[in-house]
Amino acid sequence: MDRSQGLPKRSSAAGGWGALKSCGKFLLGSRAPLSGARALLSANQPDGFDCPGCAWGDPAHGSSFEFCENGVKAVSWEATDKRVTPRFFSKHPVSELRGWTDYALESEGRLTHPMRYDAETDTYRAVEWDEAFAEIGATLRGLDHPDRVEFYTSGRASNEAAYLYQLFARAYGTNNFPDCSNMCHEASGIALVQAIGIGKGTVLLEDFEKADAIFVVGQNPGTNHPRMLGDLRRAAERGARVVVLNPVRERGLERFADPQNSVEMLRGASRPIASHYFQPKPGGDMAAFRGIAKVVFARDAAALAAGKPSLLDHAFIAAHTSAFADYRAAVEATAWDAILDQSGLTREEIETAADVYLGADKVIATWAMGVTQHRHSVATIREIANLLFLRGHIGRPGAGLCPVRGHSNVQGDRTVGINEKPPVALLEALDREFGLNAPRKHGHNVLGAIGAMLDGSSKAFIGLGGNFVRATPDTKLVEKALAGCELTVHIATKLNHSHLVPGRVAYLLPCLGRTEIDRNSKGKVQIVTVEDSMSMVHGSGGINKPASPHLRSEIGIIAGMAAATVGSERIDWAALADDYDLIRDLIERTIPGFAGFNTRVRRPRGFMLRNLAAERVFETATGRAGFSSGPLPVATEHQRASTQGDTFVLQTFRSHDQYNTTIYGLDDRYRGVYGERRVVFAHPDDLAELKARAGERVDLVCVHAEDGVVRVAEDFRLVPFDMPRGSLAGYYPELNVLVPLSAFGEFSDTPTSKSVLVQVRARAANAVGKAA
C-alpha cells in the first residue's frame, strides 16, 4: 500500500532522530530536565535503578546507556517537578476530575500527601498516615470474612513489596490476588506450565546473539519494549532471519535506526529488522504455526523417501517429549483450507516461514499480547511450543521460548507469591516461617474480583499501583463495581481515573517512585529487586530526591496497613519496612531459588533464577515436554465476523506515547497520528466499502450478544492503515469500554482485547454533512 490509498505519513524507521527529538521533548516537558537526564545515566546500571518501563533483559556487557525512548518517557514522567497537592484537590471536585482525560490527570504531576475522600464536599482531603492506617485496619477487621477484600497488584511493584503484600493478605486470610498478569500474559504461564513445566520463558538475552532465526509473533517492540529492537537488529546484521507475524504493519518491526550509532545518525540511515513480514488475521497465529508444522512434516516425509536424514530431532523427541504421535496425527488431519482461511495467510507465505524454520539450527520464538489476548491463546502458545519441540529448539544456546512481559516486574511478582492459585508448597513454607494457617481456597483473579464486587460479595479493594478502572475491560461495569465497595485504597505516584471512583471510605496513598532515594530510619539507602523476562533478578536503588517529604515507600505503606489490620505479634512489619534485607532473608527461606539473595543481588547484573526447562528438565506430569494435539478453533472471531455482515474484529493496542494505561503524550509517530487518541485504524478498502472517508468521525458498537449489553465508543476518527481486511485497531484504555467482561480466554480468563466484534456507525454530524 502507499500514500495514494490515503495512508498516514509515518516515520521512515523506528528510533533515529525521531526518538532523540522525543526524548528531549519529554525531558523538557517534565520541567526537571537535568535531574531526569542524570537519572537516565543510572537506568539499568549495576549501581542504579531498574527502568520502570518494560521487562526486557539487560546485557552482561552493558554500555554506558542502557535506556530507550520508553525509558526516557517513564523516567521523566516520574521525575517531573509538577505536584498534585491538597490545594489541587480542594479546587477540583472528584466529579469534575472524572471528565478529564487520562493524559490531563497524570500531567498534573506527583501526588504529595495521603488523602481521604470526603463525600460531603466531593473532594480528597489531606490526612495523617497513622489515621489512614487506623481506619483502613478497622474497616478490614470489621468485614465478616477475609474473602471480602481484593488485593490488586500492578507489575511495577518490587519483589520485596509484592512479597510483603501477599504475606499481609494471607495473614489476613485470603488468596484474592487479581493482578495485571491476569489481563496480559496469563495464557503464557498456563500454556508453558502445561508444555514445559514452568510458566516462564527459557532464553537469556545472550541467546539472541546466537539464534539463526527469531519468530516475532503478536508484538510491537518499537512501542512496547524498544530495547528489544537493538537485539533484533544485531541479530539481523549477523545474518539471522527475523520472521514477523503481526496483523498490523508496524514500523518498528520493519526498520530501526540506532540512536547510539553516531555514524548512522549523521547519515540518516537505518537497518532492516524483519527478513519476512507476514500479516495473519487477528487470532490466526495458531493456524499459521500448524501450517508451518504441516509443511515440516511433509518435507520430512519427502526427505526420508529420498533416503536423506530426517529433518526432525528424533533424539530430543524420544528422550524429552510426550504425545508426539498424537500431535503429528492432528497436524496431518488438519486440512489446508482450514489453515489458510483461519490464518489469513497464503500457502506460499506459510511455506516460506517453514523454509526459514528448517534452514535454522537455532530458533527462538517470542510473543506478547497479540497472542495472549484471544479466546484460544493457551492453545496457540502450545502450538508455538510444538513447533520448537520438533527440532529440539529448547534447552540449548540460541534457541527457546520467550514470552515478552510488560511491566518491569510483572514476572517477579508472580514468583514471590502474587497468585490467586498459590502452590501448596508456598503456603506450607509461610505457615512454617510465620506460624500462619494460610488459606488454601483459591482466590479471585481480575474477572473474579470484578464479578464479586458487582454482586456485593467483595466489599473492599486495595490497589498496589496500576489503574484498575482503565486497565480492565468493560469500563462502566468496573466503575460500578468499585463504587459499590465499602473501602477503596490506592497506592500510587500520580492521579488516575481509578482514584475517582471512591468507595464509601476511600484513601489515596502516595508512594516513592522507582527513581527516588529510599532511606530507612537510620539514613541507610535501601534497594529493592525486580525480575525481568529472562528470569534475571536485579537490584534497583533510586538516585532522585523524593517528590515530597510526606511520601512513603510501597513497602512502608503495606507494612503500615498490615500492622493496623493483623497486628505485629507474629510478624514485625515495622522492622521489615525499615530493613529490606530482612524481607529478602524471608524470601530466601520461603521461595525456592533465592539462596544467598542479599549477596547475589548486589553483584553486577544480579543473578538468574534456575529454570529447569532451560536444562531440559521438565516438571510436567509426565516428566517430559508435552506436545498438544487439540484441533484448531471451530471459528476465530475473524471467521465469525466474516459471516455477520458489516462486522469487524477490533484489537486494542498502545500508541507510541503511552505505556500500559499511562499516557505520556498524544502522538503516535510510527503510525502517523499526532495530537489525538480517539482514532480507529482500518484497511483502505474497508473504508471504501463502508462509503466512509479517511478522517470521518464514527462510533464503534460492540455486537457481543452473549450478555445482551450494547457497548458504544463514541467519536473516533477513521485512519486508513496496512492491516488485514475486516480488522480494526485503536488505543486502550479509550476502547476498553467495548471489551465485554464475558469475553475471555479459554483456561486463562484473560480479556479478549485483541478480538472484539464491533460495527462501525456514522455519527449524526457526518450523516447530516453527507446529506447536505
Side-chain angles (χ1 to χ4, degrees):
M1 293 186 212
D2 56 31
R3 294 278 293 153
S4 64
Q5 292 178 285
L7 295 177
K9 184 178 180 180
R10 303 186 291 157
S11 299
S12 59
W17 288 110
L20 289 181
K21 181 179 178 182
S22 175
C23 290
K25 168 188 169 184
F26 283 98
L27 283 172
L28 290 172
S30 72
R31 297 200 319 209
L34 294 180
S35 61
R38 185 173 62 251
L40 287 168
L41 297 177
S42 294
N44 301 316
Q45 297 296 329
D47 57 350
F49 61 88
D50 196 84
C51 178
C54 74
W56 191 245
D58 301 329
H61 41 76
S63 72
S64 57
F65 299 105
E66 286 300 341
F67 58 86
C68 62
E69 184 181 349
N70 259 15
V72 173
K73 292 172 183 175
V75 169
S76 60
W77 177 91
E78 186 174 284
T80 178
D81 72 351
K82 301 175 184 176
R83 300 289 182 262
V84 176
T85 64
R87 185 169 181 270
F88 170 88
F89 285 110
S90 69
K91 294 168 56 179
H92 300 288
V94 166
S95 56
E96 175 203 327
L97 293 172
R98 287 196 196 106
W100 291 26
T101 66
D102 301 272
Y103 176 60
L105 287 173
E106 299 204 25
S107 293
E108 289 296 320
R110 295 287 301 277
L111 296 164
T112 61
H113 291 69
M115 309 294 292
R116 185 188 191 282
Y117 179 67
D118 179 63
E120 188 173 328
T121 61
D122 189 33
T123 59
Y124 274 102
R125 294 185 171 184
V127 65
E128 295 298 322
W129 281 106
D130 288 345
E131 181 183 344
F133 293 149
E135 185 173 23
I136 291 168
T139 305
L140 294 178
R141 293 195 309 273
L143 298 176
D144 62 357
H145 197 282
D147 284 343
R148 300 285 186 252
V149 187
E150 306 294 343
F151 289 85
Y152 176 72
T153 317
S154 161
R156 77 148 199 227
S158 67
N159 288 324
E160 292 76 14
Y163 182 85
L164 210 64
Y165 196 55
Q166 65 83 31
L167 182 58
F168 168 29
R170 291 188 168 115
Y172 177 63
T174 187
N175 285 316
N176 284 349
F177 287 111
D179 78 317
C180 58
S181 289
N182 300 148
M183 294 180 284
C184 54
H185 259 289
E186 195 69 46
S188 295
I190 291 170
L192 292 177
V193 165
Q194 294 172 356
I196 61 174
I198 186 170
K200 301 180 181 182
T202 63
V203 303
L204 288 174
L205 196 58
E206 288 77 8
D207 289 315
F208 282 78
E209 300 171 6
K210 303 168 185 175
D212 301 311
I214 303 169
F215 283 73
V216 181
V217 192
Q219 59 178 301
N220 179 20
T223 287
N224 300 331
H225 28 270
R227 284 194 298 147
M228 182 182 183
L229 290 185
D231 294 294
L232 292 177
R233 178 181 137 144
R234 286 185 286 274
E237 286 176 338
R238 62 176 175 76
R241 315 300 276 172
V242 178
V243 179
V244 172
L245 288 90
N246 199 67
V248 179
R249 178 73 63 166
E250 300 284 15
R251 181 61 78 214
L253 288 165
E254 295 176 309
R255 301 192 69 84
F256 177 61
D258 187 353
Q260 297 186 36
N261 186 321
S262 57
V263 173
E264 189 165 278
M265 293 296 288
L266 287 172
R267 293 178 177 176
S270 62
R271 299 292 181 90
I273 297 291
S275 58
H276 303 79
Y277 202 124
F278 304 120
Q279 293 176 267
K281 293 176 180 177
D285 297 306
M286 181 180 178
F289 275 87
R290 178 150 298 190
I292 294 171
K294 195 171 181 72
V295 174
V296 170
F297 282 131
R299 300 269 180 86
D300 180 60
L304 292 174
K308 298 179 180 179
S310 174
L311 301 177
L312 308 183
D313 187 340
H314 286 287
F316 173 82
I317 292 170
H320 296 293
T321 72
S322 64
F324 168 68
D326 291 341
Y327 170 63
R328 184 166 195 161
V331 171
E332 292 177 343
T334 306
W336 270 111
D337 285 349
I339 290 170
L340 299 181
D341 185 58
Q342 196 161 108
S343 70
L345 300 179
T346 66
R347 184 161 177 174
E348 180 182 13
E349 288 174 316
I350 292 174
E351 295 203 0
T352 299
D355 289 339
V356 175
Y357 174 79
L358 289 169
D361 181 57
K362 300 178 287 292
V363 176
I364 290 174
T366 176
W367 66 91
M369 290 191 289
V371 170
T372 63
Q373 291 184 323
H374 291 281
R375 185 160 44 93
H376 54 282
S377 294
V378 171
T380 298
I381 296 163
R382 295 295 305 273
E383 198 75 17
I384 293 171
N386 287 341
L387 185 67
L388 265 61
F389 295 160
L390 290 180
R391 287 169 56 84
H393 291 305
I394 188 169
R396 57 190 178 91
L401 297 159
C402 181
V404 179
R405 311 290 181 171
H407 247 136
S408 64
N409 200 41
V410 65
Q411 183 162 299
D413 288 354
R414 188 58 62 90
T415 297
V416 300
I418 299 298
N419 190 342
E420 77 278 4
K421 299 176 181 178
V424 173
L426 169 64
L427 301 179
E428 291 176 344
L430 296 178
D431 288 351
R432 287 193 302 269
E433 181 68 33
F434 301 105
L436 300 180
N437 183 20
R440 267 50 177 180
K441 176 187 173 184
H442 288 173
H444 296 146
N445 60 14
V446 164
L447 295 188
I450 295 170
M453 288 186 287
L454 282 171
D455 68 21
S457 56
S458 284
K459 300 291 187 181
F461 176 92
I462 301 176
L464 179 57
N467 186 353
F468 190 76
V469 161
R470 302 295 275 166
T472 48
D474 238 338
T475 309
K476 293 180 180 179
L477 275 179
V478 176
E479 289 176 344
K480 179 181 177 182
L482 274 185
C485 287
E486 285 290 305
L487 172 70
T488 55
V489 179
H490 297 281
I491 302 168
T493 55
K494 285 193 172 185
L495 186 64
N496 66 49
H497 272 284
S498 294
H499 312 151
L500 307 178
V501 189
R504 185 186 64 81
V505 175
Y507 281 95
L508 182 51
L509 306 180
C511 64
L512 293 171
R514 184 77 59 82
T515 64
E516 291 172 322
I517 298 170
D518 181 359
R519 296 185 187 276
N520 67 6
S521 63
K522 299 178 180 65
K524 176 186 175 182
V525 175
Q526 308 224 62
I527 66 166
V528 294
T529 63
V530 299
E531 178 187 346
D532 65 27
S533 286
M534 282 76 175
S535 299
M536 293 295 299
V537 179
H538 311 264
S540 178
I543 67 165
N544 287 338
K545 180 182 177 181
S548 164
H550 303 284
L551 301 184
R552 294 198 181 185
S553 69
E554 290 180 322
I555 293 168
I557 296 170
I558 294 165
M561 291 191 299
T565 304
V566 300
S568 300
E569 290 77 17
R570 291 179 175 172
I571 301 166
D572 190 342
W573 303 102
L576 296 175
D578 201 46
D579 187 351
Y580 302 167
D581 281 0
L582 298 179
I583 302 175
R584 285 184 282 273
D585 288 340
L586 294 175
I587 293 173
E588 178 178 345
R589 295 201 292 268
T590 54
I591 307 288
F594 285 90
F597 192 1
N598 271 309
T599 299
R600 294 163 73 199
V601 80
R602 287 179 166 88
R603 297 170 184 166
R605 205 181 177 227
F607 64 95
M608 182 183 179
L609 292 172
R610 189 179 182 190
N611 186 316
L612 290 175
E615 303 171 22
R616 293 189 169 181
V617 176
F618 303 107
E619 294 189 307
T620 60
T622 63
R624 293 166 173 258
F627 281 97
S628 61
S629 55
L632 294 181
V634 174
T636 63
E637 273 64 27
H638 218 289
Q639 289 173 308
R640 291 172 56 198
S642 67
T643 67
Q644 294 182 17
D646 295 332
T647 299
F648 295 83
V649 177
L650 169 73
Q651 66 165 311
T652 66
F653 53 27
R654 298 168 178 161
S655 78
H656 191 61
D657 275 358
Q658 81 177 92
Y659 196 79
N660 293 342
T661 58
T662 299
I663 313 301
Y664 299 125
L666 301 179
D667 294 344
D668 190 355
R669 69 175 187 277
Y670 292 167
R671 299 188 183 109
V673 174
Y674 298 91
E676 64 177 324
R677 291 183 53 81
R678 299 188 76 82
V679 298
V680 59
F681 300 93
H683 191 286
D685 291 346
D686 284 332
L687 295 186
E689 192 168 294
L690 286 170
K691 295 182 173 57
R693 305 182 306 273
E696 186 171 319
R697 314 296 297 192
V698 298
D699 296 338
L700 302 179
V701 181
C702 176
V703 295
H704 187 75
E706 293 181 19
D707 56 14
V709 177
V710 177
R711 298 171 173 86
V712 182
E714 297 182 334
D715 195 21
F716 284 74
R717 181 172 70 89
L718 292 171
V719 177
F721 214 77
D722 189 347
M723 56 200 302
R725 293 215 50 194
S727 304
L728 300 175
Y731 307 134
Y732 71 83
E734 289 83 354
L735 287 169
N736 283 2
V737 67
L738 296 174
V739 184
L741 279 177
S742 52
F744 48 83
E746 298 169 351
F747 310 111
S748 69
D749 279 359
T750 299
T752 55
S753 299
K754 295 292 187 289
S755 52
V756 184
L757 297 181
V758 300
Q759 292 180 341
V760 179
R761 292 182 183 173
R763 291 184 62 75
N766 293 330
V768 171
K770 286 183 178 181

Coordinates of all heavy atoms in Angstrom, one line a residue, residues 11 77 96 141 248 303 328 339 387 389 435 449 473-474 494-495 498 556 624 662 688 771:
S11 N 7.0 7.6 10.4 CA 8.4 7.7 10.4 C 9.0 6.6 9.5 O 8.4 5.6 9.3 CB 8.9 7.4 11.9 OG 8.4 8.3 12.8
W77 N 8.6 11.2 33.3 CA 7.2 11.2 33.8 C 7.2 11.1 35.3 O 6.5 11.8 36.0 CB 6.4 10.0 33.2 CG 5.0 9.8 33.7 CD1 3.9 10.2 33.2 CD2 4.6 8.9 34.8 NE1 2.8 9.8 33.9 CE2 3.2 9.0 34.9 CE3 5.3 8.2 35.8 CZ2 2.5 8.3 35.9 CZ3 4.6 7.5 36.7 CH2 3.2 7.6 36.8
E96 N -15.7 16.6 38.9 CA -15.1 17.4 37.8 C -13.9 16.6 37.2 O -13.8 16.5 36.0 CB -14.6 18.7 38.3 CG -13.8 19.5 37.2 CD -12.9 20.6 37.9 OE1 -13.2 21.1 38.9 OE2 -11.8 20.8 37.2
R141 N -10.9 -5.2 59.5 CA -11.3 -6.1 60.6 C -12.8 -6.2 60.8 O -13.3 -7.2 61.3 CB -10.6 -5.6 61.9 CG -9.1 -5.7 61.9 CD -8.5 -5.5 63.4 NE -9.1 -4.3 64.0 CZ -8.6 -3.1 63.9 NH1 -7.5 -2.9 63.2 NH2 -9.1 -2.1 64.6
V248 N -0.9 -6.0 12.0 CA -0.7 -4.6 11.6 C 0.8 -4.4 11.2 O 1.7 -4.9 11.8 CB -1.0 -3.7 12.8 CG1 -0.8 -2.2 12.4 CG2 -2.5 -3.9 13.2
A303 N 12.0 -36.2 2.6 CA 13.5 -36.4 2.8 C 13.7 -37.9 3.1 O 14.6 -38.5 2.5 CB 14.0 -35.6 3.9
R328 N 1.4 -35.2 15.7 CA 1.6 -35.4 14.2 C 0.3 -35.8 13.5 O 0.0 -35.3 12.4 CB 2.7 -36.4 14.0 CG 3.0 -36.6 12.5 CD 4.3 -37.3 12.2 NE 4.8 -37.2 10.9 CZ 6.0 -37.4 10.5 NH1 6.9 -37.8 11.3 NH2 6.4 -37.2 9.2
I339 N -6.6 -24.2 7.5 CA -5.4 -23.4 7.9 C -5.4 -22.1 7.2 O -5.1 -21.0 7.8 CB -4.1 -24.2 7.6 CG1 -4.0 -25.4 8.5 CG2 -2.9 -23.3 7.7 CD1 -2.9 -26.4 8.2
L387 N 6.0 -26.5 17.7 CA 6.9 -26.3 16.5 C 8.4 -26.3 17.0 O 9.2 -27.0 16.3 CB 6.6 -25.0 15.8 CG 7.4 -24.8 14.5 CD1 7.0 -25.8 13.4 CD2 7.2 -23.4 14.0
F389 N 9.6 -27.8 19.6 CA 10.0 -29.2 20.0 C 10.4 -30.1 18.8 O 11.3 -31.0 19.0 CB 8.8 -29.9 20.7 CG 8.4 -29.2 22.0 CD1 7.1 -29.5 22.5 CD2 9.2 -28.4 22.7 CE1 6.7 -28.9 23.7 CE2 8.8 -27.8 23.9 CZ 7.5 -28.1 24.4
G435 N 4.1 -19.1 61.4 CA 3.1 -19.7 62.3 C 1.7 -19.3 61.9 O 0.8 -19.2 62.7
A449 N -12.7 -10.9 40.6 CA -12.8 -9.8 41.6 C -13.8 -8.8 41.1 O -14.6 -8.3 41.9 CB -11.4 -9.1 41.7
P473 N -11.4 -4.5 31.3 CA -12.4 -4.4 30.2 C -13.7 -3.8 30.8 O -13.8 -3.6 32.0 CB -12.6 -5.8 29.8 CG -12.3 -6.7 31.0 CD -11.2 -5.9 31.7
D474 N -14.6 -3.5 29.9 CA -16.0 -3.1 30.3 C -16.0 -2.0 31.4 O -16.5 -2.1 32.5 CB -16.7 -4.3 30.9 CG -18.0 -4.6 30.1 OD1 -18.5 -3.7 29.5 OD2 -18.5 -5.8 30.2
K494 N 0.9 9.0 40.9 CA 0.1 10.0 40.2 C -1.3 9.7 40.2 O -1.8 8.6 40.4 CB 0.6 10.2 38.8 CG 2.0 10.9 38.6 CD 2.2 11.2 37.1 CE 3.5 12.1 37.0 NZ 3.6 12.5 35.6
L495 N -2.1 10.8 39.9 CA -3.6 10.7 39.9 C -4.0 10.0 38.7 O -3.5 10.2 37.6 CB -4.2 12.1 40.0 CG -5.7 12.2 40.1 CD1 -6.2 11.6 41.4 CD2 -6.1 13.7 40.0
S498 N -8.9 5.6 38.3 CA -9.3 4.6 39.4 C -9.5 5.3 40.7 O -10.4 5.0 41.5 CB -8.3 3.5 39.6 OG -8.2 2.7 38.4
G556 N 6.7 0.5 53.0 CA 6.3 1.1 54.2 C 4.8 1.3 54.3 O 4.2 1.1 55.4
R624 N 8.1 -34.8 31.0 CA 8.6 -34.5 29.6 C 7.9 -33.3 29.1 O 6.8 -32.9 29.6 CB 8.3 -35.7 28.7 CG 9.1 -37.0 29.0 CD 8.5 -38.2 28.3 NE 9.3 -39.4 28.4 CZ 10.2 -39.8 27.5 NH1 10.3 -39.2 26.3 NH2 10.9 -40.9 27.7
T662 N -0.7 4.4 31.2 CA -0.1 5.7 31.4 C 0.1 6.4 30.0 O 0.8 5.9 29.1 CB 1.3 5.6 32.1 OG1 1.1 5.0 33.3 CG2 2.0 6.9 32.2
A688 N -13.6 2.1 1.9 CA -14.3 2.4 0.7 C -15.6 1.6 0.6 O -16.7 2.1 0.2 CB -13.4 1.9 -0.5
A771 N -25.6 14.3 3.7 CA -26.9 14.6 3.1 C -26.9 16.0 2.4 O -27.5 16.3 1.4 CB -28.0 14.6 4.1

